[in-house]
């Protein structure tokens, strides 16, 4: 720190450590992300593009990657 320049990597890591300590002290749960690759056409059978799962303490949101604009079946980019 100091010197008026941008914070050093060590300063940023200390700040991150302090922030994560506050989260842990508050009793918060960690957040995870999962990306999975399914066989072609498998995910297309899901009856939704995205869904919130408010009753679960493990999963809060689901999204099919192929449902994003410009993404083909199986996550491959469509020809433009």
């Amino acid at each position: 720190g100091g010197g008026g320049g941008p914070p050093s990597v060590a300063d940023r890591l200390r700040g991150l450590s302090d922030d994560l300590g506050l989260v842990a002290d508050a009793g918060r749960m960690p957040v995870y992300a999962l990306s999975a690759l399914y066989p072609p056409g498998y995910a297309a059978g899901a009856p939704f593009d995205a869904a919130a799962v408010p009753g679960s303490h493990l999963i809060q949101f689901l999204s099919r990657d192929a449902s994003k604009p410009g993404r083909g079946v199986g996550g491959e980019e469509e020809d433009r």
Side-chain angles (χ1 to χ4, degrees):
S8 70
V9 171
D11 289 337
R12 287 179 177 220
L13 289 174
R14 274 195 272 319
L16 176 60
S17 176
D18 292 344
D19 290 345
L20 290 174
L22 292 173
V23 169
D25 291 344
R28 303 283 183 177
M29 296 290 292
V31 174
Y32 301 98
L34 170 68
S35 178
L37 178 64
Y38 295 100
Y42 184 84
F48 56 85
D49 288 336
V53 188
S56 173
H57 67 282
L58 299 175
I59 299 172
Q60 294 186 9
F61 185 76
L62 302 170
S63 174
R64 289 190 306 128
D65 193 47
S67 69
K68 295 179 183 175
R71 304 280 175 95
V73 173
E76 296 177 10
E77 293 208 17
E78 297 173 352
D79 292 333
R80 296 176 196 235

